[in-house]
């Protein structure tokens, strides 16, 4: 049986701040489901530092990740394990919004 796993995460350096996952034993992640998980990550972490500069930078990274999902079609773990990352800086620290495809193929179909 196939397994489908994707991790949508916010990282600082090499440390995971928070992640939202997609897991299914039967179906790949659709674009709609991926966008919902990115929205959840945004909602969970938009107040991480609680100021407008953080929110602006983080939101821009989320929007870039959303664009990458919208352009993608039939993505697989074998070819795109580190599917996407958007880097941004806040107070001299590098942060990333990552989409890591850990298992499965056929992700992000409409």
């Amino acid at each position: 049986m196939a397994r489908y796993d994707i991790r949508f995460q916010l990282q600082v350096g090499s440390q995971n701040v928070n992640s939202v996952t997609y897991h299914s034993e039967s179906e790949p992640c659709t674009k709609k489901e991926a966008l919902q998980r990115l929205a959840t990550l945004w909602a969970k972490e938009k107040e991480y530092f609680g100021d407008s500069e953080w929110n602006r930078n983080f939101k821009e990274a989320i929007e870039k990740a959303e664009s990458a999902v919208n352009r993608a079609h039939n993505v697989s773990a074998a070819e795109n394990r580190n599917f996407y990352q958007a880097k941004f800086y806040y107070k001299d620290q590098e942060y990333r919004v990552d989409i890591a495809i850990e298992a499965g193929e056929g992700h992000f179909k409409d």
Side-chain angles (χ1 to χ4, degrees), residues 14-31:
S14 62
Q15 295 180 329
N16 185 33
V17 173
N18 202 337
S19 61
V20 178
T21 59
Y22 173 85
H23 171 78
S24 174
E25 295 292 335
S26 60
E27 298 289 328
C29 184
T30 66
K31 285 182 183 183

Side-chain angles (χ1 to χ4, degrees), residues 32-102:
K32 181 180 178 181
E33 290 165 326
L35 295 174
Q36 287 172 340
R37 280 160 178 80
L38 285 167
T40 299
L41 183 62
W42 160 250
K44 290 171 79 173
E45 297 304 328
K46 67 182 177 182
E47 297 301 326
Y48 187 71
F49 285 105
D51 70 24
S52 61
E53 180 186 356
W54 165 260
N55 287 345
R56 183 175 51 255
N57 292 338
F58 182 39
K59 182 63 173 172
E60 184 177 298
I62 290 286
E63 289 170 349
K64 288 177 181 177
E66 290 170 343
S67 292
V69 167
N70 282 322
R71 289 188 309 270
H73 182 77
N74 205 26
V75 180
S76 73
E79 297 173 8
N80 303 95
R81 185 164 299 279
N82 295 315
F83 172 72
Y84 186 78
Q85 62 177 228
K87 295 179 183 176
F88 66 97
Y89 293 87
Y90 177 77
K91 296 188 177 180
D92 299 324
Q93 183 75 41
E94 181 183 275
Y95 293 84
R96 290 191 329 268
V97 171
D98 293 343
I99 302 173
I101 300 173
E102 298 178 339

